[in-house]
Amino acid sequence: MEGQEKLLEIHHLHKDYGNGAVLKDVSLDIHKGEVLVLIGPSGCGKSTFLRCMNGLEQIQSGEIRLDGEVITDPKTKWSEVRQKIGMVFQSYELFPHMTVINNILLGPLKVQKKEKKEAEKEAEQLLERVGLLDKKDAYPRQLSGGQKQRVAIVRALIMKPEILLFDEVTAALDPEMVREVLDVMLELAKEGSTMVIVTHEMQFARAVADRIVFLDGGEVVEMAAPEQFFTQPETERAKRFLDTLSFE
Amino acid sequence: MGVFYGRIEKLDTGFMAEYFPLYVEAAKLTFRLGMTGILFSLVIGVVCSLAGYYHVPVLRQIAVVYVELSRNTPLLVQLFFLYFGLPKIGVMLSSEGCAVIGLSFLGGSYMAEALRSGLEAVEKGQMESALAIGLNRFQVMRYVIFPQALATSVPPLCANVIFLIKETSVFSVVALADLMYVAKDLIGLYYQTDEALLMLVISYLVLLLPISVAAGLIERRLRYAGFGD
């Protein structure tokens, strides 16, 4: 990764909900085109960490820079920053009162003030790519979980973000639908999208990640290439975590 | 039943025809003041419910006190206060002013509660996912939260509209010639109780039935056609 452009820089991030620190002095650089996978036990702060990156959580101290610009300033215009940092949620959070196409178009039309025809064309192309063009006039309620999550990915993609955050996006899905969502993400990774993924799917993490970040107790415990992390974890905590996931 | 038929036969239709225009005028007044009050109620309701939703300091506490004060006192008492009480401290309001303020004061809290329940029913994640695509806080409310809240709140809001129009029947205490006033007046003057009351009931039905039917249609549309169900 050396020499590559740093897209997101996180320095000494500290997050506290008032009853103990959730994130303690976390520092991390995310490079352009990199796929970073955050793993760790439940409650280790990985989702919180992700949510700090687009300002859904306030931080107590530290600094985050996007393209070299500080975005953790009180003066930060989050509505602008968030167009560059897309996010997909565990529970999809599609807007139930809008059709699929209108869910996708809300950002381009209201935030980016794009022309409707042009935006619609883009939305249809993206829907086609995830195999859901025939669902464009459906309501979220009429879709399966996997379909909803693919629409949610399209809704984030259409803003042309520089970086995409995925917060346990397959955790609420039935097992047979996990694959269709992961496939979309794998394809995005292949195309060179910059992504930060929180997941419990270890095989997927291994397949998609350029780097694995292992968080425990609000700290970055280990950071390594996936092969190395999964075969020869350096820390005791990472070993223990990986052991709990295997049946050997 | 025999007695009932007997009385119907004895209804003085001439009397009813003669005073029919009075009821029309009164119905217009009732409708106009009712609708004005309802409009202000909705505005107050939106402000109060949003103050609560966004935890706006001070305004939120004021809203809580207001809602309790308004819902736990009868409109009749509120009107007495406005019409007879306020002049004692030098505030003179017209009859219509009192009526509209009173109805809005009462209705605002009911509307606020109806909208609050709707807002609270919207999933918390909706706000975050709307923010995440770059919408500002106003747009999030305008396009994502409020439409969903409104859909949930339509049944109670419609019930409130009907309730508030019925509540206008106490307007006569502030010397307004509303429907109730006309009926009481005619009874007092001519002792034609049956005719006066029959026309009063019919007048309220004529006012309220269309609203009730329309409300039912809106609810059905939202429930069955909306959101792909």
Side-chain angles (χ1 to χ4, degrees):
Chain A
M1 285 300 141
E2 299 306 316
Q4 262 187 293
E5 198 183 326
K6 285 177 188 171
L7 194 56
L8 200 67
E9 298 162 71
I10 296 149
H11 301 299
H12 308 294
L13 195 71
H14 193 89
K15 165 78 191 171
D16 205 315
Y17 282 117
N19 47 2
V22 183
L23 294 170
K24 300 171 201 157
D25 194 31
V26 176
S27 293
L28 192 66
D29 289 340
I30 298 157
H31 301 83
K32 205 171 170 153
E34 185 181 26
V35 177
L36 200 91
V37 174
L38 297 177
I39 61 176
S42 298
C44 70
K46 42 190 200 305
S47 282
T48 305
F49 185 33
L50 205 65
R51 293 155 56 81
C52 289
M53 293 181 199
N54 72 344
L56 288 181
E57 298 284 354
Q58 302 229 314
I59 59 170
Q60 270 66 52
S61 65
E63 184 184 85
I64 303 178
R65 286 167 181 268
L66 177 70
D67 294 321
E69 279 180 53
V70 180
I71 58 169
T72 39
D73 195 82
K75 282 179 284 179
T76 300
K77 281 203 160 170
W78 280 108
S79 64
E80 280 169 25
V81 173
R82 286 178 183 135
Q83 294 175 49
K84 299 179 191 167
I85 308 179
M87 185 160 188
V88 185
F89 298 84
Q90 176 178 345
S91 46
Y92 336 116
E93 299 302 345
L94 294 179
F95 309 130
H97 59 303
M98 296 180 186
T99 57
V100 164
I101 189 89
N102 287 334
N103 261 277
I104 298 167
L105 289 177
L106 190 63
L109 296 185
K110 301 301 176 196
V111 179
Q112 296 176 331
K113 314 276 181 209
K114 277 195 187 164
E115 212 181 311
K116 178 147 194 219
K117 271 218 175 98
E118 186 194 334
E120 218 164 41
K121 220 175 91 191
E122 276 177 53
E124 284 172 6
Q125 281 169 353
L126 287 169
L127 277 175
E128 174 98 74
R129 265 183 55 185
V130 299
L132 288 174
L133 188 54
D134 58 325
K135 298 287 185 197
K136 78 176 171 123
D137 294 316
Y139 281 90
R141 215 166 281 187
Q142 297 163 321
L143 304 181
S144 73
Q147 291 171 330
K148 279 187 215 174
Q149 200 55 295
R150 281 182 283 159
V151 171
I153 293 174
V154 168
R155 184 174 67 178
L157 279 179
I158 198 163
M159 305 300 283
K160 302 203 171 63
E162 294 176 23
I163 180 164
L164 275 167
L165 313 176
F166 293 88
D167 189 8
E168 302 197 33
V169 294
T170 58
L173 294 177
D174 288 334
E176 71 270 25
M177 288 168 187
V178 169
R179 189 58 196 251
E180 66 191 54
V181 173
L182 296 184
D183 280 343
V184 172
M185 291 164 72
L186 271 172
E187 202 176 308
L188 290 171
K190 262 189 238 157
E191 286 166 11
S193 305
T194 312
M195 310 201 278
V196 183
I197 300 169
V198 169
T199 186
H200 288 294
E201 305 278 340
M202 290 305 145
Q203 281 185 313
F204 171 69
R206 200 164 170 169
V208 77
D210 293 314
R211 243 191 324 162
I212 299 278
V213 175
F214 176 66
L215 276 160
D216 191 10
E219 292 170 307
V220 175
V221 175
E222 195 164 334
M223 202 174 338
E227 275 316 303
Q228 196 194 335
F229 178 80
F230 284 108
T231 52
Q232 299 159 305
E234 280 174 13
T235 59
E236 201 49 47
R237 279 200 271 178
K239 266 179 216 159
R240 243 185 297 134
F241 175 69
L242 288 172
D243 279 346
T244 60
L245 297 173
S246 70
F247 290 99
E248 284 152 33
Chain B
M1 291 300 269
V3 176
F4 185 66
Y5 283 126
R7 301 198 76 175
I8 291 272
E9 277 160 29
K10 271 192 267 164
L11 276 180
D12 184 346
T13 45
F15 173 86
M16 288 168 78
E18 190 182 346
Y19 291 103
F20 177 70
L22 274 184
Y23 278 90
V24 174
E25 281 314 303
K28 281 191 204 160
L29 180 82
T30 294
F31 187 75
R32 181 166 57 82
L33 295 181
M35 283 301 157
T36 313
I38 286 164
L39 199 72
F40 284 120
S41 299
L42 281 170
V43 174
I44 296 170
V46 168
V47 171
C48 289
S49 59
L50 289 182
Y53 187 75
Y54 286 123
H55 300 282
V56 181
V58 187
L59 193 58
R60 178 171 153 242
Q61 280 82 359
I62 292 174
V64 170
V65 172
Y66 156 69
V67 166
E68 291 309 320
L69 189 65
S70 147
R71 290 206 307 172
N72 296 310
T73 49
L75 180 58
L76 187 66
V77 175
Q78 293 168 7
L79 287 177
F80 274 145
F81 174 79
L82 290 169
Y83 195 67
F84 300 110
L86 284 187
K88 300 226 161 85
I89 54 166
V91 183
M92 296 287 275
L93 293 168
S94 68
S95 295
E96 291 200 4
C98 283
V100 169
I101 292 173
L103 195 65
S104 309
F105 182 82
L106 177 76
S109 61
Y110 280 83
M111 297 300 187
E113 287 296 283
L115 288 168
R116 183 183 62 83
S117 64
L119 285 168
E120 280 174 4
V122 179
E123 297 275 340
K124 185 178 171 276
Q126 291 282 304
M127 163 87 80
E128 295 190 337
S129 75
L131 286 172
I133 57 173
L135 294 171
N136 62 39
R137 277 164 73 84
F138 174 76
Q139 289 173 320
V140 170
M141 185 45 73
R142 161 91 174 69
Y143 298 113
V144 177
I145 308 294
F146 200 72
Q148 292 183 56
L150 200 58
T152 314
S153 297
V154 158
L157 287 176
C158 289
N160 287 349
V161 168
I162 292 166
F163 158 72
L164 288 173
I165 292 191
K166 287 193 286 190
E167 282 292 300
T168 60
S169 59
V170 300
F171 281 178
S172 54
V173 301
V174 291
L176 276 175
D178 78 323
L179 285 167
M180 197 67 194
Y181 182 95
V182 167
K184 276 196 281 191
D185 219 25
L186 289 178
I187 292 167
L189 283 170
Y190 306 108
Y191 300 108
Q192 303 266 36
T193 314
D194 297 345
E195 290 81 359
L197 288 181
L198 182 64
M199 290 211 284
L200 179 65
V201 170
I202 292 171
S203 301
Y204 274 114
L205 281 178
V206 167
L207 268 183
L208 287 166
L209 267 180
I211 297 175
S212 193
V213 170
L217 285 176
I218 296 171
E219 276 175 40
R220 273 240 297 283
R221 248 188 75 106
L222 278 172
R223 203 173 308 150
Y224 298 116
F227 309 173
D229 264 352

